[in-house]
């Protein structure tokens, strides 16, 4: 591990927090003792590992400079994410460098924490464990998160070695109902694997598969392949859910049934399939299903769900016409009393459409082995009864997510509570001893998200603090208690290397091994018939609004809450950051005269929380939605804003023992206060200005009228002038000779609005996190933002959502350039719109003159430790990219197509004297885009991918009539809906 | 304002003052200041200090302490900058243009107006620096030879500004001082002690001899001739700060004349605002007569209607062009979140000045004073509306926002008014605020009954 | 009156002359074709004409096994934990710069040699100076090595954070290290021969050699 | 009336006048008698005085012209020269964007023109004058006029008579 010692050449340009002040007076250099062959100061080293921000287990490459991880990118060899990453994955770094991390072992005394030595801590814990083991069976409990591989096995072994079987893999989003449904319908209690790429027709019953559901990055890739317009074909996507979230934005059609009746709707459709004689099941199954489904008469269903019966008939027809199709369900938001039934129904729908084995397979996944909410409740009651002496919590925070199970009170009854946690979160705060855990980027492991995919996890950095990996701690504890586990392995590294076998090093380099696992064939079981199907019930007055608690794209189940990047990432649906809001339908709002930003008390029974009203056409009338993840009481400086809707829930479970996240009807009572929303949203409509364009599939192919702001004569004149200018330019000083022209193409048919690009940009370009108060003033610094416009009549469900990533367009005739008095903004030879931070004096004229409004100003000194607004406190500063200047106060900044990457690649190419190719340069946003919507390259090369996409018939430039000649070409998003025309035209 | 030493009321007499009286009365204004003057000065300096503190804080923490809300990147500072540049205009107009037109009534008022011009430019010049993100690098905007081999971008209207404003300051200051020389000589000949020394120095040994007058009058003529296009150019350049931008609501060819008219409009109003108390305090009723005010009022009326016409044209063209961005921007001006600013502007600049059609009001000093105040407010709001509402409602709907100035900006703006007032207060106590020589020119020379002055 | 005409004509001529002067001056500023670097100046840039002055020692007569160069009267530059003499290593013994600062060839940043690099030679080279008495400086090095300690060298050159200087590009372009760092091979103790953050000095060299002056070549 | 004895030592004489007309009378007389080196002090310039003296037009205008022209030249020279010194393309515009430079040229025209004019005035009017002028009287800056005649004793005497005859309030030696 010495090769990653921090004995480095004195922080070679630690990204200039000292804001470049000439000579390094008195600065010290610390050379290596022995140079590390694969670490050259100034040259990045990459380590393959696995992202553990959620159970999906994406493969990552960690970019380190001088031994410090500074950026995470997807591992292109990895079958799950194919080199892409979501916002949460990008932000893992801020977990590693979390300024509020627990930096050494501590013992709690009342409310105070006293540092103790590792030895002392381990001694205490091991003795307690031994004592507990001697005093009886099952007196030790271990609560962990999703895990697999040797470390997972080790935990089991560890608990067993202390005569206990109480080991729970607790995930707040464990999708038990889906697993249970698989058992009931197909006899295998397993989470299916979905192939969105192959599906020609996708129907989602509230599964947010582009946000948090199972493996969103993987799904986004597949979804973009099938649903993204290609050669005139694209899959149709129907979102069936009472609340239309980010995933629903990509839908061609939104069907909003009464909350809790989705199961019935699904069964109704399945029934219709049979009645239309389109079912693809045969033999006994067919008869059984027909019989069962006949119970769900379409007229009745239509009445129960509030969905027209001909809609049901149509959906059935379309769903079976397309081959193969895919229906998904199991989203947390719709995890209500009837969740298992809903998943059963959707399984049946897939069965009758013949999708099972095609788009729906059962290879076995990491979720299969997760414990249920009921299991946790079992442990809670045991703890409550004093049946547990020692509890070890690792990598999960039930005190925050499982308040409903009464976790906290029972937990406090346990004699010794040990946290193997690197964060002082709610659960850790309740513990007696905290043995700080490595961050996944410091730890060893093998992770198998889906059987057949073994993803290695290795340290990319030496421990930032005095922490130890949980597995190591377990080994040491066992050793102290004279037990041998893990086959007597020394530490986790040994465990992993043993498991990898002889060619461990190659494995470590590649990061993942894939073996083709034959998906287990499944056959229909009849058990589901015993379930009782009906509308889900919700506690509370009939007049109340059904409360949907929605997992947050950024914060997941709340574990992302102490990461500034994620807190400041505008929610893709509402565009609000930092705050907790409650979504209400315009009609509901009008009736109760609620307005954006009104502070309301959300009351259920005697429990209540406060939230800000956001009037949102994406929820059904009679439904209110709140995001999960904020409202922490502990966990760190960034986490404590907002409120936690989970604290409203009672321990209601569904048939599978899962917590019913949707179980309440709530009332909203205004407090009379109003707070400006920390939103990036200006106007939610684009007023026909053709920024994010939609086109109906029907209108594609045939020459549809494209708005042309100039007459033919004008066009010729402009072209002549441009060529003249270009000719002139290439004879001028630095512009002489051949240069590439860097351009970008963004395919809106693929973009899902997931905002991974935004966080990637934060990570790559040292963007400061400015905080709630500044976002309320629209002072957020995101160089790339996602604009979300509603198109069409938003009163009903028949509207489209147009999303567009807006970043510097690198205009050839950039309006921002000529107005800068000091040439801080100018045009580079390779077609970039250069921005020289250290030359900028801050007149801000460029920003006024930018029609795309993509220039961002440093209102405060975010980069200087002396300043009250310092954005990189503590170890967060270690993440800063040394290749990018940290901007000082008073200067303008903006996207530069990651010019530092371009220059680096050019230098590399020159030194190893070969030609520069597009493959060498990828801006952070393009690199991470899970949907592969962003293409970057040299537009002067007609064969480059970007040139190809530029020539696409859907290509257009925003505000063409300004003749700014943008370097970013957008490709119109194609939708099945017919009303899309609304947004298609340039504003005229 | 200051109160004269002995408050004896002087009623305007039918007979014009003699040359001797002119000297006596005007030089009297330089008598040691009274309590009122010091009181006013105290208030002014306090305001100035507060403004300075606000700026210090802004320099330390960053310009973020203001209320700026992207995409409104320019706010009260630039608004006030344009306001002061506008104020600066009538001075030169009255002294130079009217001089060329040989309109005699200028002689009594032009000195005060010209002083106002100089100090207004000095105030305006502060704001481009004030509003910079990195004010300590303001000098980078100037094209000075430097070791980096970098120059400034002469395509940028902001660089034009540097040249226009600095030229204007230099030339108008020179013009003012040149006009002062004969008067300083008169002061010198009356003064005693240290004052005499200073005035002798400043008068360059002026002797009122034909050898001096001969060249002086030429020089004065040519300065006037040069100042006239300058005064028109300066506000045109300032207007191009906006017109050169592509922002809907800025990008209009009408801007230069529109701004120049507005500038003269606000300038004349400010002259009235200043002259009324000055005249009262110094008992200059015999020199600054109602006729002068009426003429100023007529100028206001004229320019007001030009400005009003410009407003109309803006809206008409916005509609007629069919350009959706322009249309939306102007619709938003009148009916959007900033309706209050727009309507303040229109009523103060177009409706209220209509009162001046009535001779009764035009010749009533109190009325004029009140109206002039309204016009000042209105013209500040005109710039606010042009700058802020346009920026708040640009091409990109996602980036529409609402901005209101906060306390720090207001402190600095107030400070700028105090800065202006301070200089003016000092001026009127050290130099004659009415031109001795030129007033005499307009009067019958001793031994004659009608003024044969002029050239 | 003739005087008048003359003066007028003079004024006009002055004006026109000025314009022409402007254009011609600008012409003169155009980057020239690359100045060819002689073989003597390539790679580690030695031998170069020795310079004299305070802080430099005269090594013109030095031969590898001869006596060490005289120390100049005054030493410039910051005092270092170990009195490592570039004039001996690089000057007298002619060790190429890149032998120790090898990363300059493949990275933005030139490295300070690792302790092991020093020990590479000094475990064989006796710790004794020319007069035969033990050399305390090498002793320090050995001591540090034995205690697995690194050595806290004092930094001499630092480029501002807002400028990015790719060493490898300049080495690859066969620019002598001395071009920027001065005749280090004559400096007993290294001192900053110039402010490397003087942008005009960078751009002048770039213009002389006709390479880019594009701002984003260094500033991003 | 008895004429006081003329002191031959004095190099000149000054006549102080209460009224403009008296001054003009004396002035005409002096011109008629071919007196040169007259200095007329008057609180304000007056065209009648100019008419009688009828001196050539002040050369200040040449200073203005030359100043203005070199101003224009300088403005364009500076703008063009600096743009060509380091070619930076902004907004796809040509390196030498003349229309933009007109503003610079114009402003420098005015600036240098004005300064040259002032300089011209100072040079031609021989300002600043440091020494006391012969025969100057502080009242000349208020409401009195004066004529100073320099010359030999005979001329001075003659001038004095003329001045008196024209009705000078006072006639003093200087």
């Amino acid at each position: 591990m010495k090769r990653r010692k921090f004995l480095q050449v004195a922080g070679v340009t630690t990204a200039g927090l000292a804001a470049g002040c000439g000579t390094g007076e008195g600065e010290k250099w610390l050379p290596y003792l022995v140079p590390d062959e694969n670490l050259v100061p100034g040259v990045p080293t990459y380590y393959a590992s696995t992202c553990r921000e959620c159970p999906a287990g994406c493969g990552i490459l960690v970019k380190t400079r001088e031994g410090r991880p500074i950026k995470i990118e997807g591992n292109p060899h990895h079958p799950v994410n194919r080199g892409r990453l979501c916002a949460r994955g990008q932000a893992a770094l801020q977990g590693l460098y979390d300024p509020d991390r627990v930096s050494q072992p501590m013992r709690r005394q009342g409310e105070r924490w006293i540092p103790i030595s590792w030895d002392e801590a381990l001694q205490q814990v091991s003795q307690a464990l031994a004592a507990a083991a001697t005093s009886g069976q099952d007196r030790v409990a271990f609560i962990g998160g999703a895990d697999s591989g040797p470390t997972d096995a080790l935990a089991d072994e560890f608990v067993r070695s202390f005569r206990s079987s109480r080991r729970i893999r607790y995930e707040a989003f464990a999708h038990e109902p889906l697993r249970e449904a698989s058992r009931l319908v197909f006899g295998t209690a397993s989470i299916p694997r979905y192939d969105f790429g192959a599906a020609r027709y996708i129907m989602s019953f509230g599964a947010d598969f582009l946000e948090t559901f199972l493996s969103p990055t993987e799904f986004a890739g597949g979804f973009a392949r099938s649903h993204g317009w290609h050669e005139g074909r694209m899959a149709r996507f129907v979102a069936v859910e009472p609340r239309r979230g980010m995933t629903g934005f990509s839908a061609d059609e939104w069907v909003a049934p009464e909350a809790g009746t989705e199961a019935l709707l699904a069964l109704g459709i399945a029934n219709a399939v049979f009645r239309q004689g389109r079912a693809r099941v045969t033999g006994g199954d067919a008869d059984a299903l027909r019989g069962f489904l006949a119970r769900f008469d379409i007229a009745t269903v239509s009445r129960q769900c509030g969905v027209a019966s001909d809609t049901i008939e149509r959906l059935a027809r379309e769903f079976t016409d397309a081959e193969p199709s895919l229906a998904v369900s199991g989203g947390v938001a719709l995890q209500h009393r009837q969740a298992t039934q809903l998943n059963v129904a959707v399984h049946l729908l897939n069965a009758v459409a013949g999708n099972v084995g095609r788009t729906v397979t059962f290879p076995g996944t990491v979720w299969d082995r997760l414990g249920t909410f009921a299991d946790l409740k079992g442990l809670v009651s045991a703890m409550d009864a004093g049946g547990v002496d020692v509890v070890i919590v690792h990598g999960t925070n039930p005190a925050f997510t499982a308040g409903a199970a009464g976790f906290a009170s029972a937990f406090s009854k346990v004699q010794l509570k040990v946290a193997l946690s690197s964060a002082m979160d709610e659960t850790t705060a309740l513990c007696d001893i905290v043995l700080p855990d490595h961050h996944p980027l410091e730890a060893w492991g093998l992770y198998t998200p889906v059987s057949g995919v073994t993803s290695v996890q290795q340290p990319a950095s030496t421990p930032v603090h005095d922490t130890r990996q949980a597995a190591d701690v377990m080994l040491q504890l066992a050793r102290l208690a004279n037990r041998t586990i893990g086959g007597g392995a020394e530490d986790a590294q040994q465990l992993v290397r043993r498991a990898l076998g002889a060619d461990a090093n190659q494995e470590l380099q590649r990061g993942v091994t894939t073996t083709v696992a034959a998906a287990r064939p499944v056959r229909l079981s009849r058990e589901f018939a015993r379930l009782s199907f009906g509308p889900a019930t919700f506690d509370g007055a009939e007049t109340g609004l059904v409360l949907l608690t929605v997992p947050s794209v950024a914060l997941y189940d709340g574990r992302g809450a102490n990461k500034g990047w994620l807190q400041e990432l505008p929610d893709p649906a509402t565009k609000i950051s930092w705050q907790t809001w409650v979504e209400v339908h315009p009609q509901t709002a009008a009736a109760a005269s609620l307005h954006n930003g009104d502070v309301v008390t959300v009351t259920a029974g005697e429990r209540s929380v406060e939230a800000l009203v956001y009037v949102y056409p994406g929820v059904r009338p009679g439904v209110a939605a709140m995001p999960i993840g904020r409202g922490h009481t502990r966990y760190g400086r960034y986490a404590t804003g907002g409120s936690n809707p989970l604290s409203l829930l009672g321990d209601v479970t569904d048939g599978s023992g899962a917590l019913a996240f949707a179980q309440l009807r709530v009332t909203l009572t205004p407090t009379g206060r109003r707070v400006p929303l920390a939103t990036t949203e200006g106007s939610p409509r684009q007023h026909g200005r053709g920024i994010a364009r939609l086109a109906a599939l029907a209108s594609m192919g045939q020459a549809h009228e494209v708005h042309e702001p100039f007459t033919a004569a004008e066009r010729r004149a402009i072209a002549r002038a441009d060529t003249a200018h270009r000719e002139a330019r290439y004879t001028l000083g630095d512009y002489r000779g051949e240069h590439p022209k860097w351009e970008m193409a963004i395919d809106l048919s693929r973009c899902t609005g997931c905002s991974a690009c935004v966080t990637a940009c934060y990570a790559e370009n040292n963007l400061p996190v400015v905080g709630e108060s500044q976002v309320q003033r629209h002072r957020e610094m995101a160089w790339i933002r996602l604009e979300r416009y509603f198109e069409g009549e938003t009163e009903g469900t028949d509207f489209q959502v147009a999303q567009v990533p807006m970043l510097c367009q690198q205009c050839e005739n950039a309006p921002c350039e000529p107005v800068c008095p000091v040439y801080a903004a100018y045009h580079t030879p390779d077609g970039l719109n250069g921005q020289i931070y250290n030359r900028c004096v801050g007149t801000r004229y460029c920003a006024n003159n930018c029609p795309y409004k993509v220039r961002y100003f440093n209102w405060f000194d975010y980069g200087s430790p002396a300043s009250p607004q310092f954005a990189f406190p503590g170890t967060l500063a270690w993440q800063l990219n040394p290749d990018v200047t940290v901007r000082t106060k008073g200067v303008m900044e903006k996207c530069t197509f990651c010019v530092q990457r371009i220059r680096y690649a050019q230098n590399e190419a020159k030194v190893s004297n070969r030609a520069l190719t597009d493959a060498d340069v990828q801006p952070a946003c393009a690199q991470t885009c899970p949907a592969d919507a962003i293409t970057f390259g040299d537009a002067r090369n007609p064969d480059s991918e970007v040139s190809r996409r530029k020539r696409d018939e859907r290509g257009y430039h925003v505000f063409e009539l300004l003749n700014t000649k943008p370097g970013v070409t957008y490709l119109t998003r194609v939708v099945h809906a017919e009303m899309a025309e609304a947004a298609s035209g340039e504003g005229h | 304002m200051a109160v004269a030493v002995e408050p004896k009321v002087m009623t305007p007499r039918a007979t014009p003052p003699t040359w001797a009286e002119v000297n006596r009365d005007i030089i009297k204004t330089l008598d040691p200041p009274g309590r009122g003057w010091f009181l006013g000065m105290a208030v002014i300096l306090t305001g100035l200090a507060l403004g300075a503190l606000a700026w210090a804080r802004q320099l330390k923490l960053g310009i973020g302490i203001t209320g700026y809300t992207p995409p409104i990147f320019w706010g009260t500072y630039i608004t006030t900058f344009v306001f002061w540049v506008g104020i600066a205009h009538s001075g030169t107009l009255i002294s130079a243009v009217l001089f060329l037109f040989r309109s005699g009534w200028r002689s009594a008022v032009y000195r005060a107006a010209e002083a106002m011009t100089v100090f207004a430019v000095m105030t305006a010049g502060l704001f481009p620096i004030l509003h910079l993100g990195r004010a300590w690098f303001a000098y980078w905007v100037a094209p000075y030879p430097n070791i980096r081999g970098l120059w400034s971008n002469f395509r940028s209207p902001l660089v034009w500004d540097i040249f226009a404003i600095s030229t204007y300051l230099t030339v108008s200051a020179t013009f003012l001082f040149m006009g002062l020389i004969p008067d300083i000589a008169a002061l010198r000949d009356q003064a005693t002690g240290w004052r005499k020394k200073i005035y002798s120095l400043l008068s360059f040994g002026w002797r009122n001899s034909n050898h001096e007058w001969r060249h002086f009058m030429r020089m004065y003529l040519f300065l006037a001739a040069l100042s006239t296009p300058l005064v028109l150019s300066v506000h045109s350049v300032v207007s191009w700060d906006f017109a050169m931008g592509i922002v809907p609501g800025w990008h209009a060819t009408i801007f230069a004349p529109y701004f120049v008219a507005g500038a003269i409009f606000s300038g004349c109003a400010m002259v009235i605002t200043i002259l009324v108390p000055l005249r009262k305090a110094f008992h200059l009723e015999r020199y600054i007569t109602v006729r002068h005010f009426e003429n100023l009022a007529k100028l206001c009326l004229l320019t007001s209607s030009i400005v009003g016409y410009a407003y109309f044209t803006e809206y008409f063209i916005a509609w007629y062009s069919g350009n959706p961005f322009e249309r939306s921007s102007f619709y938003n001006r009148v009916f959007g979140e900033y309706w209050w600013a727009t309507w303040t502007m229109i009523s103060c600049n177009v409706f209220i000045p209509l009162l001046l059609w009535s001779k009764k009001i035009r010749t009533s000093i109190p009325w004029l004073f009140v109206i002039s105040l309204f016009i000042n407010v209105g013209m500040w709001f005109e710039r606010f509306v042009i700058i802020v509402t346009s920026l708040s409602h640009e091409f990109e709907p996602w980036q529409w926002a609402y901005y209101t100035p906060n306390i720090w900006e207001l402190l600095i703006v107030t400070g700028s008014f105090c800065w202006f007032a301070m200089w003016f207060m000092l001026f009127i106590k050290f130099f004659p605020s009415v031109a001795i020589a030129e007033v005499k020119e307009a009067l019958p020379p001793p031994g004659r009954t009608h003024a044969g002055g002029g050239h | 009156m003739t005087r008048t005409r003359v003066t007028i004509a003079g004024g006009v001529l002055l004006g026109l002359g000025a314009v022409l002067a402007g254009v011609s001056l600008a012409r003169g500023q155009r980057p020239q074709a690359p100045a060819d670097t002689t073989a003597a100046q390539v790679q580690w840039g030695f031998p170069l004409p020795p310079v004299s002055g305070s802080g430099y020692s005269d090594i013109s007569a030095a031969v590898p096994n001869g006596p060490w160069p005289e120390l100049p009267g005054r030493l410039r530059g910051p005092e270092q934990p170990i009195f490592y003499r570039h004039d001996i290593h690089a000057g007298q013994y002619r060790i190429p710069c890149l032998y120790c600062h090898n990363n300059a060839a493949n990275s933005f940043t030139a490295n300070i040699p690792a302790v092991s690099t020093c020990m590479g030679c000094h475990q064989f080279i006796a710790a004794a100076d020319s007069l035969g008495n033990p050399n305390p400086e090498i002793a320090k090095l050995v001591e540090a090595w034995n205690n697995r300690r690194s050595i806290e060298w004092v930094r001499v050159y630092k480029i501002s954070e807002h400028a990015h200087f790719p060493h490898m590009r300049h080495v690859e372009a066969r620019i002598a290290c001395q071009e920027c760092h001065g005749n280090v091979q004559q400096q007993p103790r290294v001192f900053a021969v110039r402010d490397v953050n003087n942008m005009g000095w960078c751009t002048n060299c770039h213009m002389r050699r006709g390479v880019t002056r594009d701002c984003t070549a260094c500033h991003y | 009336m008895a004429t006081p004895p003329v002191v031959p030592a004095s190099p000149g004489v000054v006549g102080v006048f209460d009224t403009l007309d008296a001054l003009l009378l004396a002035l005409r007389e002096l011109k008629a008698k071919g007196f040169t080196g007259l200095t007329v002090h008057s609180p304000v310039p007056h065209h009648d005085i100019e008419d009688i003296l009828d001196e050539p037009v002040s050369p200040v205008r040449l200073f203005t012209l030359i100043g203005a022209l070199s101003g224009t030249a300088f403005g364009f020279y500076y703008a063009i020269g600096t743009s060509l010194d380091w070619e930076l393309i902004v907004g796809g515009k040509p390196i030498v964007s003349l229309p933009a430079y007109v503003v610079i040229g114009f402003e420098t025209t005015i600036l240098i023109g004005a300064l040259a004019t002032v300089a011209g005035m100072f040079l031609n009017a021989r300002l600043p004058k440091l020494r006391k002028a012969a025969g100057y009287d502080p009242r000349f800056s208020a409401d009195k006029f004066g004529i100073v005649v320099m010359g030999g004793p005979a001329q001075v005497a003659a001038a004095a008579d003329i001045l008196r005859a024209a009705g000078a309030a006072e006639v003093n030696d200087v």
Side-chain angles (χ1 to χ4, degrees), chain B residues 26 36-37 41 74 76 82 109 122 183 302 401 403 411:
Chain B
I26 295 179
W37 188 89
M41 209 54 175
W74 285 358
T76 34
V82 183
V109 293
M122 283 166 59
D183 290 6
L302 171 70
Y403 148 92
L411 276 178

Side-chain angles (χ1 to χ4, degrees), chain A residues 7 9-10 12-24 26-35 40-43 732 734 736 826-829 834-838 882-885 899-900 903-904 906-908 910-911, chain C residues 30-31 103 105-117 144-145 147-164 166 168-169 172 192 195-197 210-220:
Chain A
L7 260 193
V9 182
V12 186
T13 63
T14 46
L17 287 180
C21 54
T23 61
E27 211 172 286
K28 293 279 194 293
W29 294 85
L30 273 124
Y32 293 88
L33 218 46
V34 180
V40 178
V43 177
L732 282 169
D734 295 333
R736 212 184 279 104
Y826 80 107
H827 218 66
T828 70
Q835 176 69 15
I836 308 306
Y837 309 125
N838 46 308
D883 293 340
V884 179
T885 313
V899 63
Q900 68 275 11
R903 296 292 174 254
Y904 188 87
Q906 283 172 333
N907 287 324
E908 288 299 296
K910 189 82 169 63
V911 172
Chain C
R30 287 277 179 73
N103 286 355
N106 61 2
S107 164
F108 267 62
T109 49
N111 59 314
I112 295 295
V115 184
S116 60
T117 315
W145 173 252
N147 304 342
R148 324 294 299 151
R149 268 198 302 100
S150 183
I151 298 161
E152 284 201 358
W153 299 103
V154 180
R155 190 165 189 173
V156 178
Y157 290 99
K158 182 164 190 280
I159 296 250
S160 310
E161 268 78 7
H162 58 250
H164 302 269
M168 74 279 216
R169 283 296 292 275
E172 189 257 357
D195 173 10
V196 290
N197 289 308
V211 290
T212 181
R213 243 200 320 174
D214 176 42
C215 313
T216 55
C218 310
H219 299 299
Y220 45 81

Side-chain angles (χ1 to χ4, degrees), chain B residues 143 151 155 189 207 210 440, chain D residues 40-41 78 85 95 136 142:
Chain B
W151 301 98
R155 297 171 201 76
D189 296 340
R207 299 279 183 269
N210 58 323
K440 283 193 278 193
Chain D
V40 179
H41 296 278
Y78 210 61
D85 180 28
I95 292 298
Y136 180 73

